């Protein structure tokens, strides 16, 4: 049952022992949202399968207590944070649970006792809305976490809206935390040499396809698929699709520039539609999504590319200068 912020908060007060469960390879948006709620209401933060580098830094710097691979049956209720599908929880048995999530599609809400779902650019923004309704003070640790979650989930504000900036401004104003503090903290994230190697390998395997003024890139890597797809956008791709394999599953991480999204690309919808035909799930945002299914990687990537081609074909890319195009054709 969908509820509003006030009822969501009031329902959580009915439980003494709450587990705030983050998706596998939890990101700062999930960790900071779980942390903010646990600080305000009480409960335990659970990581179903580790977290990424920035989230790990956040846990270390803010001294956030987490439980690795918790058993939901040991808690009164599980609040699934920033997660749209059960596969992101490694198909864990949830028991009694509720959901707070901001993704365009959220399959987990179907069996939830209650849920709060908004089309926000991050779950952290939704959590801040709950804290405001509660009248809870925004402490420094909470503020540092929430702003980090918002920054990372919006791609350093590339996918931000006016509401996003308004929320960050309000967090800064109410907490006293300076935006520069967050950036300085994030800048200390240690570089992972295995990720650097993965990025370089992924680049050497890249397939580049031109559709009119648009560039679609696909490749594959053993891990860091999301980071790799973002890397390709930074070096020139309009849409990037990166495949990774995990046991019998294949995962394709997709990223699209704002111009491609404005032209009609919705990776979340594309991957959700494709996943219907396979065991597994898919979905996410218009500019950042993933599909996790039992299938052949090449087939899934090609299905995604086919739909992307159909959408972009015949549409101009506003980021391309006509003079550059003319020079390129000569």
């Amino acid at each position: 049952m969908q509820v509003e912020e006030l009822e969501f908060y009031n329902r959580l007060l009915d439980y003494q022992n709450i587990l705030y469960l983050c998706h596998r390879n939890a990101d700062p948006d999930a960790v900071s949202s779980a942390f903010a709620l646990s600080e305000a209401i009480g409960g335990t933060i659970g990581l179903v399968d580790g977290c990424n580098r920035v989230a790990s830094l956040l846990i270390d710097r803010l001294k956030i207590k987490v439980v690795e691979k918790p058993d939901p049956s040991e808690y009164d209720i599980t609040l699934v944070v920033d997660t749209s599908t059960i596969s992101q929880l490694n198909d864990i048995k949830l028991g009694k649970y509720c959901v707070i999530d901001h993704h365009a599609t959220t399959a987990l809400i179907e069996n939830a006792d209650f849920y709060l779902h908004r089309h926000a650019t991050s779950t952290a923004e939704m959590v801040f809305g709950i804290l405001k309704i509660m009248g809870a003070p925004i402490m420094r640790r909470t503020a540092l976490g929430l702003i980090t979650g918002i920054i990372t989930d919006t791609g350093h504000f590339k996918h931000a809206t006016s509401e996003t900036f308004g929320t960050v401004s309000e967090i800064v104003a109410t907490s006293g935390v300076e935006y520069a503090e967050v950036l300085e903290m994030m800048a200390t994230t240690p570089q992972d040499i295995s990720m650097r190697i993965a990025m370089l390998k992924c680049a050497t395997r890249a397939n580049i396809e031109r559709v009119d003024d648009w560039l679609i890139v696909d490749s594959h890597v053993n891990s860091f698929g999301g980071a790799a797809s973002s890397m390709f956008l930074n070096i020139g791709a309009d849409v990037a699709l990166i495949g990774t394999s995990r046991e019998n599953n294949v995962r394709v991480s997709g990223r699209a520039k704002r111009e491609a999204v404005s032209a009609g690309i919705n990776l979340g919808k594309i991957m959700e539609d494709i996943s219907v035909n396979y065991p597994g799930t898919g979905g996410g945002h218009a500019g950042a999504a993933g599909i996790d299914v039992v299938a052949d990687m090449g087939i899934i990537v090609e299905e995604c590319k086919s739909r992307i081609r159909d959408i972009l074909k015949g549409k101009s890319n506003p980021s391309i200068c006509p003079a550059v195009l003319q020079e390129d054709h000569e």
Side-chain angles (χ1 to χ4, degrees), residues 150-168:
I150 293 170
I151 291 172
T152 53
D153 237 45
T154 59
H156 288 252
F157 297 114
K158 290 178 184 176
H159 304 291
T161 64
S162 59
E163 288 81 6
T164 310
F165 288 108
T167 299
V168 172

Side-chain angles (χ1 to χ4, degrees), residues 234-260:
N234 292 334
I235 62 176
D238 294 297
V239 183
L241 300 166
I242 308 300
T244 59
S245 296
R246 180 171 179 153
E247 296 179 355
N248 295 325
N249 284 34
V250 59
R251 177 171 177 81
V252 176
S253 297
R255 300 290 185 272
K257 283 186 175 177
R258 180 177 292 274
E259 292 83 3

Side-chain angles (χ1 to χ4, degrees), residues 198-199 201-203 205-207 217-230 232 240-246 249-255 271 289-293 295-302 304-305:
M199 297 302 102
K201 286 184 176 180
C202 195
R205 302 167 182 153
N207 300 307
V217 174
D218 72 90
S219 186
H220 64 276
V221 69
N222 290 332
S223 56
F224 306 108
S229 55
S230 295
F232 280 115
L241 300 166
I242 308 300
T244 59
S245 296
R246 180 171 179 153
N249 284 34
V250 59
R251 177 171 177 81
V252 176
S253 297
R255 300 290 185 272
M271 293 185 174
I291 182 171
D292 196 337
V293 291
D296 179 86
M297 183 187 298
I299 292 175
I300 299 300
V301 169
E302 184 52 42
C304 291
K305 288 173 65 175

Side-chain angles (χ1 to χ4, degrees), residues 126-142:
M126 299 170 61
V127 169
F128 179 66
I130 294 173
L131 299 184
K132 284 173 59 181
I133 286 177
M134 291 172 58
I138 309 301
M139 309 304 288
R140 287 184 57 81
R141 293 163 72 216
T142 299

Side-chain angles (χ1 to χ4, degrees), residues 104-105 265-274 282-290:
T105 56
I265 295 297
N266 186 331
L267 293 175
K269 184 69 168 64
I270 289 171
M271 293 185 174
E272 181 184 16
D273 289 347
I274 293 173
H285 309 289

Side-chain angles (χ1 to χ4, degrees), residues 2-15:
Q2 165 81 311
V3 297
E4 301 300 314
E5 283 80 356
L6 180 58
E7 185 175 358
F8 188 82
Y9 161 59
N10 284 330
R11 281 174 173 262
L12 287 177
L13 292 180
D14 292 336
Y15 302 94

